[in-house]
Amino acid sequence: MNSEEEFYDAVTGFDSDNSSGDFSEANHKVAEMLDLDPHQSDRTGKHNGETEIQENGIKRHRTSLPAPMFSRNDFSVWSILKKCIGLELSKITMPIVFNEPLSFLQRITEYMEHIYLINKACSHADPLERMQAVAAFAVSAVASQWERTGKPFNPLLGETYELTREDLGFRFISEQVSHHPPISAFYSEGLNKDFIFHGSIYPKLKFWGKSIEAEPRGTITLELLKHNEAYTWTNPTCCVHNVIIGKLWLEQYGTVEIVNHSTGDKCVLNFKPCGLFGKELHRVEGHIQDKNRKKLCVIYGKWTECLWCTDPTTYETYKKNEKRGGEQKKPKQSEDVIKSENDEADDMPEVQDTVQFIPGSKLLWRINCRPPNSSQMYNFTSFAVSLNELEKGMEAILAPTDCRLRPDIRNMENGNMDVASKEKERLEEKQRAARKERAKDEVEWHTRWFHQGTNPYTGTSDWLYSGGYFDRNFSDCPDIY
C-alpha cells in the first residue's frame, strides 16, 4: 500500500456574509474571560498519540481532544442575545464562546454513529422489521445532541466534509450549498453497495428570550438497495432552554413521519415536549401502520436512552392498567399549586424515571455510553471526538475545503481561543468580501458536488449528489480558508 492509499484509509472522521459585525468586540473578550491553559499541540489534532493501528489491523481513533473544554460560567450572554429576540440566528454573528469545535457539516455526520441499524434493516426479510430498524436509526440520529449545548460552527459557503470508515462500512460527503438560507447537503453510501443515505438540511434558528429553537427543514432519505425501498422523514424540533440564566438543558419535540415509499407503511413518532413537571421529558411514543392504516406495532422509549417496540394490544392493555393504578395513587393538587409549578416549567426539570419496560417488548436501540471525560469535551460521544482528527499528510488527500482544515475550529479544539476567535472573524470577512466581489462581477456561485433538483420520492425540492467527489479532482475547489 502506498502512502496515498494509507492516508485515504485514515480519513475519519452559519456565519453571516452580510452581518454588521456588531458583536465582534465580544469575540476579543472571550480569551480574557477563559481560565484555561491551552495545552499547545500541533495541527494534527493528535493527543497523547491516540491514533494508532491495532494488532488486528483496524485503525484506532483518538479518545480525547487536545485540550479540555473552557468554562462558560463567567460569560454573560444577555448583552448579545437581547438584540436577537425573534430573529433568525443564522444572520447574527455570535462570539466563539457559544461554539463547540465542530462544523455543522461534521455534526450532520453524527447520523452515521449508529450505522449498524441501517445494516440491520438491510438484513431483515420482513418489511415490518426493516421499518423498526429505520425508525430506531431516525431516533438515534438525534441522540448525540443530548447535553450538547454548544453551537457547531456555521459552515462557510463551499465548505465540505468527508468521512470514510471502512470498519463501519460507509463513506460520507457533505457540502454547504447555500449560505442564505444556510443549506447543508450530504450523501453517504455503503461500501458494499447496500444502501444510500442522503438529504439536505436547513436548520432555522430562533431566540425566544429564554430559549433557542432549531426548526429542522429538509428531507432525509434512506434507500435500501437490496429491497428496492426508500424511506423519507424530517427531524424533530430541538430547543435549548435557560440560555440566559440557570443550567442549560435540551429537548426535542414534534412529530416525525417515516414513510416507506415502496410498501406504503408509515411510522409516526411523537417526540413529546417536556410538559408540566417534566414528566414527558425526552419521551418518544408512536406506531407503525400499513398502507391501510392498520397499526402493526407500537414504539416507545426515550431518545436519550433506548427504544422498544411491542404489539398494539399489549401496549393498550398495559396503559389501561397503568392509568387505573395511577389514578388511585395520584394526589389531587389545587389550581394555585399547578399554576406555580407551571410558571417554573422553563427551569431544568428533574427526570422522573427511565423508560418503563412493558413485558414482551423488543429492544430496538440503546444509546452508546459516552467517554468518561465527555463532560470536559463538550459532551462529545466517542464518534464525535474522532470527527475532526487530522493526521500528518491528510492535507494531500482531503479537499482543500474540508472542515478539518478550518483554522478557527482547529485552534479552538487545541485550546487557542484568542487565535480561534480572530480566525473566525477573518474567515467571515473573507466570505463577505468574496460575496461582494461576485455581486460586482455578476458571477453566480456554483456548487461543486451537489445540484438542486427534486426528491424522486417526495416530489419536493432537494439537493442531490452530483457524484465524482471520491475521484479526488479538487483542482477547481474554491479558496475559502
Side-chain angles (χ1 to χ4, degrees):
M1 179 180 290
N2 61 35
S3 59
E4 183 170 306
E5 290 172 332
E6 290 174 349
F7 292 144
Y8 176 83
D9 291 341
V11 175
T12 65
F14 309 114
D15 276 290
S16 173
D17 59 6
N18 63 359
S19 169
S20 63
D22 290 340
F23 310 123
S24 60
E25 183 180 352
N27 288 334
H28 294 298
K29 295 180 180 178
V30 170
E32 300 174 4
M33 304 179 70
L34 303 178
D35 183 17
L36 174 69
D37 180 6
H39 299 292
Q40 299 284 344
S41 63
D42 61 25
R43 194 182 176 202
T44 66
K46 292 171 66 175
H47 184 55
N48 297 332
E50 293 99 348
T51 303
E52 54 188 69
I53 303 298
Q54 298 182 27
E55 291 182 2
N56 59 9
I58 298 176
K59 187 176 182 300
R60 178 183 292 138
H61 301 280
R62 68 182 186 182
T63 57
S64 64
L65 299 179
M69 174 184 173
F70 56 85
S71 173
R72 299 188 179 105
N73 292 338
D74 298 327
F75 191 85
S76 175
V77 301
W78 178 242
S79 61
I80 294 171
L81 291 183
K82 67 182 180 182
K83 304 177 183 179
C84 310
I85 296 177
L87 296 180
E88 215 274 285
L89 288 187
S90 67
K91 296 184 178 181
I92 301 297
T93 298
M94 305 294 283
I96 203 170
V97 70
F98 292 108
N99 290 98
E100 63 178 22
L102 288 177
S103 168
F104 184 70
L105 296 182
Q106 292 167 312
R107 174 72 79 90
I108 292 175
T109 312
E110 293 183 56
Y111 288 166
M112 309 306 293
E113 180 168 358
H114 299 273
I115 190 178
Y116 75 91
L117 292 167
I118 294 182
N119 298 332
K120 185 178 289 187
C122 291
S123 68
H124 285 312
D126 183 359
L128 175 59
E129 290 185 306
R130 290 198 294 274
M131 178 62 91
Q132 290 171 348
V134 172
F137 176 74
V139 174
S140 75
V142 301
S144 67
Q145 297 181 33
W146 181 40
E147 297 186 330
R148 294 271 293 279
T149 53
K151 176 181 176 292
F153 281 71
N154 297 330
L156 301 168
L157 184 61
E159 186 174 316
T160 61
Y161 182 73
E162 69 163 283
L163 179 64
T164 298
R165 287 291 295 263
E166 295 188 356
D167 55 330
L168 299 178
F170 75 89
R171 63 184 184 182
F172 182 102
I173 173 63
S174 58
E175 178 182 7
Q176 190 70 7
V177 294
S178 173
H179 192 63
H180 283 307
I183 302 176
S184 306
F186 69 90
Y187 172 89
S188 181
E189 62 186 15
L191 297 181
N192 294 324
K193 307 299 181 183
D194 48 354
F195 75 87
I196 294 175
F197 178 55
H198 58 95
S200 53
I201 298 178
Y202 166 19
K204 192 174 181 63
L205 306 178
K206 281 194 174 182
F207 173 57
W208 295 115
K210 296 175 68 177
S211 62
I212 294 178
E213 185 180 72
E215 177 189 350
R217 299 186 179 186
T219 302
I220 310 296
T221 303
L222 173 63
E223 301 179 36
L224 305 183
L225 303 181
K226 173 184 174 182
H227 301 286
N228 195 30
E229 288 182 338
Y231 302 79
T232 61
W233 68 91
T234 57
N235 287 327
T237 296
C238 176
C239 188
V240 179
H241 294 270
N242 292 347
V243 295
I244 302 302
I245 190 171
K247 182 179 179 181
L248 292 172
W249 61 279
L250 182 149
E251 67 172 329
Q252 308 268 359
Y253 47 77
T255 300
V256 173
E257 290 191 357
I258 306 170
V259 179
N260 183 330
H261 293 269
S262 301
T263 65
D265 294 349
K266 180 187 291 186
C267 178
V268 181
L269 296 174
N270 181 20
F271 286 71
K272 296 194 172 186
C274 174
L276 196 62
F277 317 126
K279 183 178 180 181
E280 302 296 326
L281 184 64
H282 306 324
R283 290 190 182 276
V284 180
E285 288 186 3
H287 64 273
I288 297 175
Q289 63 186 41
D290 64 17
K291 61 182 179 181
N292 298 316
R293 298 187 177 181
K294 177 185 176 182
K295 283 189 179 181
L296 304 177
C297 78
V298 173
I299 294 176
Y300 67 95
K302 290 185 178 181
W303 63 268
T304 56
E305 294 183 27
C306 56
L307 210 60
W308 300 84
C309 72
T310 188
D311 67 273
T313 302
T314 300
Y315 184 81
E316 292 301 326
T317 300
Y318 180 86
K319 282 297 182 181
K320 287 180 181 179
N321 293 335
E322 182 184 50
K323 185 176 181 181
R324 190 177 301 117
E327 288 176 345
Q328 296 172 353
K329 298 176 183 178
K330 185 177 179 181
K332 292 185 178 181
Q333 292 179 300
S334 69
E335 293 183 2
D336 290 338
V337 172
I338 293 176
K339 182 179 185 300
S340 175
E341 295 194 36
N342 188 41
D343 289 340
E344 298 175 1
D346 203 44
D347 293 336
M348 174 60 184
E350 294 294 333
V351 178
Q352 300 296 323
D353 52 25
T354 56
V355 176
Q356 184 65 48
F357 172 75
I358 300 175
S361 298
K362 178 176 73 173
L363 180 66
L364 298 180
W365 161 80
R366 189 182 297 280
I367 195 169
N368 292 336
C369 293
R370 293 191 175 180
N373 55 343
S374 178
S375 63
Q376 295 298 312
M377 299 188 299
Y378 307 88
N379 289 310
F380 283 0
T381 64
S382 295
F383 187 83
V385 168
S386 71
L387 292 178
N388 204 44
E389 191 172 11
L390 181 65
E391 298 178 53
K392 184 178 180 180
M394 266 192 190
E395 294 92 331
I397 301 302
L398 295 172
T401 51
D402 194 277
C403 301
R404 297 176 183 86
L405 305 178
R406 276 191 64 160
D408 51 354
I409 296 179
R410 181 62 57 195
N411 276 282
M412 183 180 186
E413 178 184 273
N414 289 338
N416 304 322
M417 300 302 299
D418 190 35
V419 176
S421 182
K422 292 177 181 178
E423 284 291 335
K424 180 173 179 285
E425 290 185 19
R426 181 185 65 81
L427 293 177
E428 291 165 4
E429 181 55 39
K430 182 173 183 176
Q431 180 168 239
R432 284 190 286 269
R435 181 191 61 80
K436 291 178 181 178
E437 190 67 24
R438 289 195 303 272
K440 177 182 176 182
D441 297 338
E442 298 183 347
V443 175
E444 292 187 4
W445 174 266
H446 294 287
T447 55
R448 183 67 177 84
W449 310 110
F450 292 82
H451 63 276
Q452 195 165 17
T454 300
N455 187 293
Y457 307 104
T458 64
T460 57
S461 178
D462 203 353
W463 286 84
L464 308 175
Y465 181 52
S466 301
Y469 177 88
F470 293 99
D471 294 338
R472 301 197 174 277
N473 178 11
F474 303 139
S475 57
D476 59 347
C477 286
D479 175 16
I480 61 175
Y481 301 144

